Every structure is written in structure tokens, then in C-alpha cells.
Coordinates of all heavy atoms in Angstrom, one line a residue:
M257 N 17.5 22.3 148.9 CA 17.0 23.6 149.4 C 18.2 24.5 149.6 O 19.2 24.2 150.1 CB 16.3 23.3 150.7 CG 15.8 24.6 151.5 SD 14.3 25.3 151.0 CE 13.1 24.0 150.9
M258 N 18.0 25.7 149.1 CA 19.0 26.7 149.2 C 18.9 27.5 150.5 O 17.7 27.8 150.9 CB 18.8 27.7 148.0 CG 19.9 28.6 147.7 SD 19.9 29.4 146.1 CE 18.2 30.0 145.9
L259 N 20.0 27.8 151.2 CA 20.0 28.7 152.3 C 20.3 30.1 151.9 O 21.3 30.3 151.2 CB 21.0 28.2 153.4 CG 20.6 27.1 154.3 CD1 21.8 26.8 155.2 CD2 19.4 27.4 155.0
I260 N 19.4 31.0 152.2 CA 19.6 32.4 151.8 C 19.9 33.2 153.0 O 19.1 33.2 153.9 CB 18.4 32.9 151.0 CG1 18.1 32.1 149.8 CG2 18.6 34.4 150.7 CD1 16.9 32.4 149.0
P261 N 21.0 33.9 153.0 CA 21.3 34.7 154.2 C 20.7 36.1 154.2 O 21.1 37.0 153.5 CB 22.9 34.9 154.2 CG 23.2 34.7 152.7 CD 22.1 33.9 152.1
C262 N 19.6 36.3 154.9 CA 18.9 37.6 155.0 C 19.9 38.5 155.7 O 20.4 38.2 156.8 CB 17.6 37.4 155.8 SG 16.8 39.0 156.1
P263 N 20.1 39.8 155.2 CA 21.0 40.7 155.9 C 20.5 41.0 157.4 O 21.3 41.5 158.2 CB 20.9 42.0 155.1 CG 20.4 41.5 153.7 CD 19.6 40.3 154.0
W264 N 19.2 40.9 157.7 CA 18.7 41.2 159.0 C 18.4 40.0 159.9 O 18.5 40.1 161.1 CB 17.4 42.1 158.8 CG 17.7 43.4 158.1 CD1 18.2 44.5 158.7 CD2 17.6 43.6 156.7 NE1 18.3 45.5 157.7 CE2 18.0 44.9 156.5 CE3 17.2 42.8 155.7 CZ2 18.0 45.5 155.3 CZ3 17.2 43.4 154.4 CH2 17.6 44.7 154.2
C265 N 18.1 38.9 159.3 CA 17.7 37.7 160.1 C 18.7 36.6 160.1 O 18.5 35.6 160.8 CB 16.3 37.2 159.6 SG 15.0 38.4 159.6
G266 N 19.7 36.6 159.2 CA 20.6 35.5 159.0 C 20.1 34.5 158.1 O 19.1 34.6 157.4
P267 N 20.9 33.4 158.0 CA 20.5 32.3 157.0 C 19.2 31.6 157.3 O 18.9 31.3 158.4 CB 21.7 31.3 157.1 CG 22.8 32.0 157.8 CD 22.1 33.1 158.7
R268 N 18.4 31.5 156.3 CA 17.1 30.9 156.4 C 16.9 30.0 155.1 O 17.4 30.3 154.1 CB 15.9 31.9 156.5 CG 16.0 32.8 157.7 CD 15.8 32.0 159.0 NE 15.5 32.9 160.1 CZ 16.5 33.4 160.9 NH1 17.7 33.2 160.7 NH2 16.1 34.2 161.9
E269 N 15.9 29.1 155.2 CA 15.6 28.2 154.0 C 14.9 29.0 153.0 O 14.1 30.0 153.2 CB 14.7 27.1 154.5 CG 15.5 26.1 155.3 CD 14.6 24.8 155.6 OE1 13.5 24.7 155.2 OE2 15.1 24.0 156.4
E270 N 15.1 28.7 151.7 CA 14.6 29.3 150.6 C 13.1 29.5 150.6 O 12.5 30.5 150.1 CB 15.0 28.5 149.3 CG 14.4 29.0 148.0 CD 14.8 28.1 146.9 OE1 15.4 27.1 147.1 OE2 14.4 28.5 145.7
A271 N 12.4 28.6 151.3 CA 10.9 28.6 151.3 C 10.4 29.9 152.1 O 9.2 30.2 151.9 CB 10.4 27.4 152.0
E272 N 11.2 30.5 152.9 CA 10.8 31.7 153.6 C 10.9 33.0 152.7 O 10.5 34.1 153.2 CB 11.7 32.0 154.8 CG 11.5 31.0 155.9 CD 12.3 31.4 157.2 OE1 12.6 32.6 157.3 OE2 12.5 30.5 158.0
F273 N 11.3 32.9 151.5 CA 11.6 34.0 150.6 C 10.7 34.0 149.4 O 10.2 33.0 149.0 CB 13.1 34.1 150.2 CG 14.0 34.2 151.4 CD1 14.5 33.1 152.0 CD2 14.4 35.4 151.8 CE1 15.4 33.2 153.1 CE2 15.3 35.6 152.9 CZ 15.8 34.5 153.5
H274 N 10.6 35.2 148.8 CA 9.9 35.4 147.5 C 10.9 36.0 146.6 O 11.5 37.1 146.9 CB 8.7 36.3 147.7 CG 7.9 36.6 146.5 ND1 7.1 35.7 145.9 CD2 7.9 37.6 145.7 CE1 6.6 36.2 144.8 NE2 7.1 37.4 144.6
Y275 N 11.0 35.4 145.4 CA 12.0 35.9 144.4 C 11.3 37.1 143.7 O 10.2 37.1 143.4 CB 12.2 34.8 143.3 CG 13.1 35.2 142.2 CD1 14.5 35.3 142.4 CD2 12.6 35.4 140.9 CE1 15.3 35.7 141.3 CE2 13.4 35.8 139.9 CZ 14.7 35.9 140.1 OH 15.6 36.3 139.0
G276 N 12.1 38.2 143.5 CA 11.6 39.4 142.9 C 12.2 39.8 141.6 O 12.0 40.9 141.1
G277 N 12.9 38.9 141.0 CA 13.5 39.2 139.6 C 14.8 39.9 139.7 O 15.5 39.9 140.7
Q278 N 15.2 40.4 138.5 CA 16.6 41.0 138.4 C 16.7 42.2 139.2 O 15.8 43.1 139.2 CB 16.8 41.3 136.9 CG 18.2 41.9 136.6 CD 18.4 42.1 135.1 OE1 17.7 41.6 134.3 NE2 19.4 42.8 134.8
A279 N 17.8 42.4 139.9 CA 18.0 43.6 140.6 C 18.6 44.7 139.7 O 19.1 44.5 138.6 CB 19.1 43.3 141.8
H280 N 18.5 45.9 140.2 CA 19.1 47.1 139.6 C 18.4 47.4 138.2 O 19.1 47.9 137.3 CB 20.6 47.0 139.4 CG 21.3 46.7 140.7 ND1 21.4 47.6 141.7 CD2 21.9 45.5 141.2 CE1 22.0 47.0 142.7 NE2 22.3 45.8 142.4
V281 N 17.1 47.2 138.1 CA 16.4 47.6 136.9 C 15.7 48.9 137.3 O 14.7 48.9 138.1 CB 15.4 46.5 136.5 CG1 14.5 47.0 135.3 CG2 16.1 45.2 136.2
S282 N 16.1 50.0 136.7 CA 15.5 51.3 137.0 C 14.2 51.6 136.3 O 14.0 51.2 135.1 CB 16.5 52.4 136.6 OG 17.7 52.2 137.3
Y283 N 13.3 52.2 137.0 CA 12.0 52.6 136.5 C 12.3 53.7 135.4 O 13.1 54.6 135.6 CB 11.1 53.1 137.6 CG 9.7 53.3 137.2 CD1 8.8 52.3 137.0 CD2 9.2 54.6 136.9 CE1 7.5 52.5 136.6 CE2 7.9 54.8 136.5 CZ 7.0 53.8 136.4 OH 5.7 53.9 136.0
P284 N 11.5 53.7 134.3 CA 11.8 54.7 133.3 C 11.6 56.1 133.8 O 10.7 56.4 134.6 CB 10.7 54.4 132.2 CG 10.3 53.0 132.4 CD 10.5 52.8 133.9
A285 N 12.5 57.0 133.4 CA 12.5 58.4 133.9 C 11.3 59.1 133.4 O 10.7 59.9 134.1 CB 13.8 59.1 133.4
D286 N 10.8 58.9 132.2 CA 9.6 59.5 131.6 C 8.7 58.5 131.1 O 8.6 58.2 129.9 CB 10.0 60.5 130.6 CG 8.8 61.4 130.1 OD1 7.7 61.2 130.6 OD2 9.0 62.1 129.1
P287 N 7.9 57.8 131.9 CA 7.1 56.7 131.5 C 6.1 57.0 130.4 O 5.7 56.2 129.6 CB 6.4 56.2 132.7 CG 6.8 57.1 133.8 CD 7.8 58.0 133.4
A288 N 5.6 58.3 130.4 CA 4.6 58.7 129.5 C 5.1 58.7 128.0 O 4.4 58.7 127.1 CB 4.0 60.0 129.8
A289 N 6.5 58.9 127.9 CA 7.1 59.0 126.6 C 7.4 57.6 126.0 O 7.8 57.6 124.8 CB 8.4 59.8 126.7
L290 N 7.2 56.5 126.7 CA 7.6 55.2 126.2 C 6.5 54.7 125.2 O 5.3 54.8 125.4 CB 7.7 54.2 127.3 CG 8.9 54.5 128.3 CD1 8.9 53.4 129.4 CD2 10.2 54.5 127.6
S291 N 7.0 54.1 124.2 CA 6.1 53.4 123.2 C 5.8 52.0 123.8 O 6.3 51.6 124.9 CB 6.9 53.2 121.9 OG 7.9 52.2 122.1
D292 N 4.8 51.4 123.2 CA 4.4 50.0 123.7 C 5.6 49.1 123.7 O 5.8 48.3 124.6 CB 3.3 49.5 122.9 CG 1.9 50.2 123.1 OD1 1.9 50.9 124.2 OD2 1.0 50.0 122.3
A293 N 6.4 49.2 122.6 CA 7.6 48.3 122.5 C 8.6 48.6 123.6 O 9.2 47.7 124.2 CB 8.2 48.5 121.2
D294 N 8.8 49.9 124.0 CA 9.7 50.2 125.1 C 9.1 49.7 126.4 O 9.9 49.2 127.2 CB 9.9 51.8 125.1 CG 10.6 52.3 124.0 OD1 11.4 51.6 123.4 OD2 10.4 53.5 123.6
W295 N 7.8 49.8 126.6 CA 7.2 49.3 127.9 C 7.4 47.8 127.9 O 7.7 47.2 129.0 CB 5.7 49.6 128.0 CG 5.5 50.9 128.7 CD1 4.9 52.0 128.2 CD2 5.7 51.1 130.1 NE1 4.8 53.0 129.2 CE2 5.3 52.4 130.4 CE3 6.3 50.3 131.1 CZ2 5.5 53.0 131.7 CZ3 6.4 50.9 132.4 CH2 6.0 52.2 132.6
A296 N 7.2 47.1 126.8 CA 7.4 45.7 126.8 C 8.8 45.3 127.1 O 9.0 44.4 127.9 CB 7.0 45.1 125.4
R297 N 9.8 46.0 126.6 CA 11.2 45.8 126.9 C 11.4 46.0 128.4 O 12.1 45.2 129.0 CB 12.0 46.7 126.0 CG 13.5 46.3 125.9 CD 14.3 47.1 124.8 NE 13.6 47.0 123.5 CZ 13.0 48.0 122.9 NH1 12.9 49.2 123.5 NH2 12.5 47.9 121.7
Y298 N 10.9 47.1 129.0 CA 11.1 47.3 130.4 C 10.5 46.2 131.2 O 11.1 45.8 132.2 CB 10.5 48.7 130.8 CG 10.4 48.9 132.2 CD1 11.6 49.1 133.0 CD2 9.2 48.8 132.9 CE1 11.5 49.2 134.4 CE2 9.1 49.0 134.3 CZ 10.3 49.2 135.0 OH 10.2 49.3 136.4
L299 N 9.2 45.8 130.9 CA 8.5 44.9 131.8 C 9.0 43.4 131.6 O 9.0 42.7 132.6 CB 7.0 44.9 131.4 CG 6.3 46.2 131.8 CD1 4.9 46.2 131.3 CD2 6.3 46.4 133.4
F300 N 9.3 43.0 130.4 CA 9.5 41.6 130.2 C 10.9 41.1 129.8 O 11.2 40.0 129.9 CB 8.6 41.1 129.1 CG 7.1 41.4 129.5 CD1 6.4 42.3 128.7 CD2 6.5 40.8 130.5 CE1 5.1 42.6 129.0 CE2 5.2 41.0 130.9 CZ 4.5 41.9 130.1
F301 N 11.8 42.0 129.4 CA 13.1 41.6 128.9 C 14.1 41.8 130.1 O 14.3 42.9 130.6 CB 13.6 42.5 127.8 CG 12.9 42.2 126.5 CD1 11.5 42.1 126.4 CD2 13.6 42.0 125.3 CE1 10.9 41.8 125.2 CE2 13.0 41.7 124.1 CZ 11.6 41.6 124.0
R302 N 14.7 40.7 130.5 CA 15.7 40.7 131.5 C 16.9 39.8 131.1 O 16.8 39.0 130.2 CB 15.1 40.0 132.8 CG 14.0 40.8 133.4 CD 14.4 42.2 134.0 NE 13.4 42.9 134.6 CZ 12.8 44.0 134.1 NH1 13.2 44.4 132.9 NH2 11.9 44.6 134.7
D303 N 18.0 40.1 131.8 CA 19.2 39.3 131.5 C 19.0 37.9 132.0 O 18.2 37.6 132.9 CB 20.4 39.9 132.2 CG 20.8 41.3 131.7 OD1 20.4 41.7 130.6 OD2 21.4 42.1 132.5
N304 N 19.7 37.0 131.3 CA 19.6 35.6 131.7 C 21.0 35.0 131.6 O 21.3 34.1 130.8 CB 18.6 34.8 130.8 CG 18.4 33.4 131.3 OD1 18.6 33.1 132.4 ND2 17.8 32.6 130.4
P305 N 22.0 35.4 132.5 CA 23.3 35.0 132.3 C 23.6 33.6 132.9 O 22.9 33.1 133.8 CB 24.1 36.1 133.1 CG 23.2 36.4 134.2 CD 21.8 36.4 133.6
K306 N 24.7 33.1 132.4 CA 25.2 31.9 133.0 C 26.4 32.3 133.9 O 27.4 32.8 133.4 CB 25.7 30.9 131.9 CG 26.2 29.6 132.4 CD 26.6 28.7 131.2 CE 27.1 27.4 131.7 NZ 27.4 26.5 130.6
G307 N 26.2 32.3 135.2 CA 27.2 32.8 136.1 C 26.6 33.8 137.1 O 25.4 33.7 137.4
P308 N 27.4 34.7 137.7 CA 26.9 35.6 138.7 C 25.7 36.5 138.1 O 25.8 37.1 137.0 CB 28.1 36.5 139.0 CG 29.2 35.6 138.7 CD 28.8 34.8 137.5
F309 N 24.7 36.7 138.9 CA 23.5 37.4 138.5 C 22.9 38.1 139.8 O 22.7 37.5 140.8 CB 22.5 36.5 137.9 CG 21.2 37.1 137.4 CD1 21.3 38.1 136.4 CD2 20.0 36.7 137.8 CE1 20.2 38.7 135.9 CE2 18.8 37.3 137.3 CZ 18.9 38.3 136.4
A310 N 22.6 39.4 139.7 CA 22.1 40.2 140.8 C 20.5 40.0 140.8 O 19.9 40.3 139.8 CB 22.4 41.6 140.7
E311 N 20.0 39.5 141.9 CA 18.5 39.3 142.0 C 18.0 40.0 143.2 O 18.7 40.3 144.2 CB 18.3 37.8 142.2 CG 18.9 36.9 141.2 CD 18.9 35.4 141.6 OE1 18.9 35.1 142.8 OE2 18.8 34.6 140.6
R312 N 16.7 40.3 143.2 CA 16.0 40.8 144.3 C 15.2 39.7 145.1 O 14.6 38.9 144.4 CB 14.9 41.9 143.9 CG 15.6 43.1 143.3 CD 14.5 44.0 142.6 NE 13.2 43.6 142.8 CZ 12.2 44.4 143.3 NH1 12.5 45.7 143.6 NH2 11.0 44.0 143.5
W313 N 15.3 39.7 146.4 CA 14.6 38.7 147.2 C 13.8 39.5 148.3 O 14.3 40.5 148.8 CB 15.5 37.7 147.8 CG 16.1 36.7 146.8 CD1 17.1 36.9 145.9 CD2 15.5 35.5 146.5 NE1 17.3 35.8 145.2 CE2 16.3 34.9 145.5 CE3 14.5 34.7 147.0 CZ2 16.1 33.6 145.0 CZ3 14.2 33.5 146.5 CH2 15.0 32.9 145.5
N314 N 12.7 38.9 148.7 CA 11.9 39.4 149.9 C 11.8 38.4 150.9 O 11.4 37.2 150.6 CB 10.6 39.9 149.4 CG 9.7 40.4 150.5 OD1 8.8 39.6 151.0 ND2 9.9 41.6 151.0
H315 N 12.2 38.7 152.2 CA 12.0 37.7 153.3 C 10.6 37.7 153.8 O 10.3 38.3 154.8 CB 13.0 38.0 154.4 CG 13.2 36.9 155.3 ND1 14.1 36.9 156.3 CD2 12.6 35.7 155.4 CE1 14.1 35.8 157.0 NE2 13.1 35.0 156.5
S316 N 9.7 37.1 153.0 CA 8.3 37.2 153.2 C 7.8 36.5 154.5 O 6.8 36.9 155.0 CB 7.5 36.7 152.0 OG 7.9 35.4 151.7
A317 N 8.5 35.6 155.0 CA 8.1 34.8 156.2 C 8.6 35.4 157.5 O 8.3 34.8 158.6 CB 8.5 33.4 156.1
S318 N 9.4 36.5 157.4 CA 9.9 37.0 158.7 C 9.9 38.5 158.6 O 8.9 39.1 158.9 CB 11.4 36.5 158.9 OG 11.8 36.9 160.1
C319 N 11.1 39.1 158.3 CA 11.2 40.6 158.5 C 10.5 41.4 157.3 O 10.3 42.6 157.4 CB 12.7 41.0 158.5 SG 13.6 40.7 157.0
R320 N 10.1 40.7 156.2 CA 9.4 41.2 155.1 C 10.2 42.3 154.4 O 9.6 43.1 153.7 CB 8.0 41.7 155.5 CG 7.2 40.6 156.2 CD 5.8 41.0 156.5 NE 5.0 41.3 155.3 CZ 4.4 40.5 154.5 NH1 4.6 39.2 154.8 NH2 3.7 40.9 153.5
R321 N 11.5 42.3 154.5 CA 12.3 43.3 153.8 C 12.9 42.8 152.5 O 13.1 41.6 152.3 CB 13.5 43.7 154.7 CG 13.0 44.4 156.0 CD 14.0 44.6 157.0 NE 14.5 46.0 157.0 CZ 15.4 46.5 157.9 NH1 15.9 45.7 158.8 NH2 15.7 47.7 157.8
W322 N 13.1 43.8 151.6 CA 13.7 43.4 150.3 C 15.2 43.6 150.4 O 15.7 44.5 151.1 CB 13.2 44.4 149.2 CG 11.8 44.0 148.8 CD1 10.6 44.6 149.2 CD2 11.4 43.1 147.8 NE1 9.6 44.0 148.6 CE2 10.0 43.1 147.7 CE3 12.1 42.2 147.0 CZ2 9.3 42.3 146.8 CZ3 11.4 41.4 146.1 CH2 10.1 41.4 146.0
F323 N 15.9 42.8 149.7 CA 17.4 42.9 149.6 C 17.9 42.2 148.3 O 17.1 41.6 147.6 CB 18.1 42.2 150.8 CG 17.8 40.8 151.0 CD1 18.7 39.8 150.5 CD2 16.6 40.3 151.6 CE1 18.4 38.4 150.6 CE2 16.4 39.0 151.8 CZ 17.2 38.0 151.3
N324 N 19.1 42.4 148.0 CA 19.7 41.9 146.7 C 20.7 40.8 147.1 O 21.4 40.8 148.1 CB 20.4 43.0 146.0 CG 19.5 44.1 145.5 OD1 18.3 43.8 145.2 ND2 20.0 45.3 145.4
V325 N 20.7 39.8 146.1 CA 21.6 38.7 146.2 C 22.4 38.6 144.9 O 21.7 38.7 143.8 CB 20.8 37.4 146.5 CG1 21.7 36.2 146.4 CG2 20.1 37.4 147.8
I326 N 23.6 38.3 144.9 CA 24.4 37.9 143.7 C 24.5 36.4 143.8 O 25.2 35.9 144.8 CB 25.7 38.7 143.6 CG1 25.4 40.2 143.4 CG2 26.4 38.1 142.3 CD1 26.7 41.0 143.3
R327 N 23.9 35.7 142.9 CA 23.9 34.3 142.9 C 24.5 33.7 141.6 O 24.1 34.2 140.5 CB 22.4 33.8 143.1 CG 22.3 32.3 143.1 CD 20.8 31.9 143.3 NE 20.0 32.3 142.2 CZ 19.8 31.6 141.1 NH1 20.3 30.4 140.9 NH2 19.0 32.1 140.1
D328 N 25.3 32.7 141.7 CA 25.8 32.1 140.5 C 24.7 31.2 140.0 O 24.3 30.2 140.7 CB 27.1 31.2 140.8 CG 27.7 30.7 139.6 OD1 27.0 30.1 138.8 OD2 28.9 30.9 139.5
T329 N 24.2 31.4 138.8 CA 23.1 30.7 138.2 C 23.4 29.2 137.8 O 22.5 28.4 137.6 CB 22.5 31.4 137.0 OG1 23.5 31.5 136.0 CG2 21.9 32.7 137.4
V330 N 24.7 28.9 137.8 CA 25.1 27.6 137.5 C 25.2 26.7 138.7 O 24.7 25.6 138.7 CB 26.5 27.6 136.8 CG1 27.0 26.2 136.5 CG2 26.5 28.4 135.5
T331 N 25.8 27.2 139.8 CA 26.0 26.4 141.0 C 25.0 26.7 142.1 O 25.0 26.0 143.1 CB 27.4 26.6 141.5 OG1 27.5 28.0 141.9 CG2 28.4 26.3 140.5
N332 N 24.2 27.8 142.0 CA 23.3 28.4 143.0 C 24.1 28.9 144.2 O 23.5 29.2 145.3 CB 22.3 27.3 143.5 CG 21.0 27.4 142.7 OD1 20.8 28.3 141.9 ND2 20.3 26.3 142.7
E333 N 25.4 29.0 144.1 CA 26.2 29.6 145.2 C 25.9 31.1 145.4 O 25.8 31.8 144.4 CB 27.7 29.4 144.9 CG 28.6 30.0 146.0 CD 30.1 30.0 145.6 OE1 30.4 29.5 144.5 OE2 30.9 30.4 146.4
I334 N 25.6 31.5 146.6 CA 25.4 32.9 146.8 C 26.7 33.6 147.1 O 27.5 33.2 148.0 CB 24.4 33.1 148.0 CG1 23.1 32.5 147.6 CG2 24.3 34.5 148.5 CD1 22.0 32.5 148.6
L335 N 27.0 34.6 146.3 CA 28.3 35.3 146.3 C 28.3 36.5 147.1 O 29.4 36.9 147.6 CB 28.8 35.6 144.9 CG 28.8 34.4 143.9 CD1 29.1 34.8 142.5 CD2 29.9 33.4 144.4
A336 N 27.2 37.2 147.2 CA 27.1 38.4 148.0 C 25.6 38.7 148.3 O 24.7 38.3 147.6 CB 27.6 39.6 147.2
V337 N 25.4 39.3 149.5 CA 24.0 39.8 149.9 C 24.2 41.2 150.4 O 25.1 41.5 151.1 CB 23.5 38.9 151.0 CG1 22.2 39.4 151.5 CG2 23.4 37.4 150.6
Y338 N 23.2 42.1 150.0 CA 23.3 43.5 150.4 C 21.9 44.1 150.3 O 21.1 43.7 149.6 CB 24.3 44.2 149.5 CG 24.1 44.1 148.0 CD1 23.5 45.2 147.3 CD2 24.4 43.0 147.3 CE1 23.2 45.1 145.9 CE2 24.2 42.9 146.0 CZ 23.6 43.9 145.3 OH 23.4 43.8 143.9
P339 N 21.7 45.1 151.1 CA 20.4 45.8 151.2 C 20.0 46.4 149.9 O 20.8 46.9 149.1 CB 20.5 46.8 152.3 CG 21.6 46.3 153.1 CD 22.6 45.7 152.2
A340 N 18.7 46.4 149.6 CA 18.2 47.1 148.4 C 18.6 48.6 148.4 O 18.6 49.2 149.5 CB 16.7 46.9 148.3
G341 N 18.8 49.1 147.3 CA 19.2 50.5 147.2 C 20.7 50.8 147.3 O 21.1 51.9 147.0
Q342 N 21.5 49.8 147.6 CA 22.9 49.9 147.7 C 23.5 49.5 146.3 O 22.9 48.6 145.7 CB 23.5 49.1 148.8 CG 23.0 49.5 150.2 CD 24.0 49.4 151.2 OE1 25.0 48.7 151.0 NE2 23.8 50.0 152.4
P343 N 24.7 50.0 146.0 CA 25.3 49.6 144.7 C 25.7 48.1 144.7 O 26.0 47.6 145.8 CB 26.5 50.5 144.6 CG 26.7 51.1 145.9 CD 25.4 51.0 146.7
K344 N 25.7 47.5 143.6 CA 26.2 46.2 143.4 C 27.6 46.0 143.7 O 28.5 46.8 143.2 CB 25.9 45.7 141.9 CG 26.1 44.3 141.6 CD 25.5 44.0 140.3 CE 26.6 43.4 139.4 NZ 26.0 43.0 138.1
P345 N 28.0 45.1 144.6 CA 29.4 44.9 145.0 C 30.2 44.3 143.8 O 29.6 43.6 143.0 CB 29.4 44.0 146.2 CG 28.1 43.3 146.2 CD 27.2 44.2 145.4
V346 N 31.5 44.5 143.7 CA 32.3 43.9 142.7 C 32.6 42.5 143.1 O 33.1 42.3 144.3 CB 33.6 44.8 142.5 CG1 34.5 44.1 141.5 CG2 33.2 46.2 142.0
I347 N 32.4 41.6 142.3 CA 32.7 40.2 142.6 C 33.9 39.8 141.8 O 34.0 40.0 140.6 CB 31.5 39.2 142.2 CG1 30.2 39.6 142.9 CG2 31.9 37.8 142.4 CD1 30.3 39.5 144.4
A348 N 34.9 39.2 142.5 CA 36.2 38.9 141.8 C 36.0 37.7 140.9 O 35.3 36.9 141.0 CB 37.3 38.6 142.8

């Protein structure tokens, strides 16, 4: 079981959270101008790196707030946690 540190509630078990996918994916500026292929790319294509990856999480069992986590996909080590809407921190 992974311990995820909520920025507002502190460390909690993974079961209290809901995974929200890749962080920092911007909604299209002009959605009406997108082709079906462009919509498919926006909705379904995401990065799948080996190593640090920015993810969105929701603390659904407590404060119900969204936040971002940078997690190493190889080791599951959490490298950074920060509120949604803030820029991605630089990881050394």
C-alpha cells in the first residue's frame, strides 16, 4: 500500500484517494475547431514514462480536494506533492 501525503490532511493510505490521470494537460483553447483525431489525441493519448511522472489525485475519502503528485513510476516513490493549479516543481 502506498502512503500519499495530501497537502491538507497529511499522509494517508492510497485507498482514500482517486487517481485522476496525467497532470498539466490543458483543455483545448478552441474545442470547436478540433477534428475527431485531435479530440482523440486530447482525450486518450497520455505520456507513459519510466521515472518521474506528474499525476492528479483526489482525496476522495476526506477533504475531497485535487492535488498533483510527482511519482517515480518505477519505484512508486513520491518525489513531490503540490496543489492543483500550481506549476510543476523541478525535480533534481
Side-chain angles (χ1 to χ4, degrees):
M257 174 84 44
M258 195 167 45
L259 280 181
I260 299 174
C262 174
W264 297 276
C265 304
R268 301 289 194 273
E269 291 185 3
E270 177 184 2
E272 290 191 17
F273 297 88
H274 178 77
Y275 179 75
Q278 182 176 347
H280 307 289
V281 176
S282 299
Y283 191 77
D286 187 6
L290 295 181
S291 67
D292 287 346
D294 291 334
W295 266 115
R297 199 170 302 109
Y298 167 72
L299 291 173
F300 303 113
F301 287 48
R302 295 293 183 254
D303 295 337
N304 188 17
K306 183 177 184 181
F309 184 56
E311 306 169 328
R312 294 170 7 124
W313 286 86
N314 177 259
H315 195 177
S316 54
S318 186
C319 67
R320 305 186 61 81
R321 295 169 103 175
W322 284 95
F323 60 95
N324 296 328
V325 171
I326 297 180
R327 179 180 63 88
D328 187 311
T329 59
V330 176
T331 64
N332 273 343
E333 178 185 5
I334 294 178
L335 305 172
V337 176
Y338 53 103
Q342 297 212 348
K344 185 169 127 178
V346 176
I347 302 296

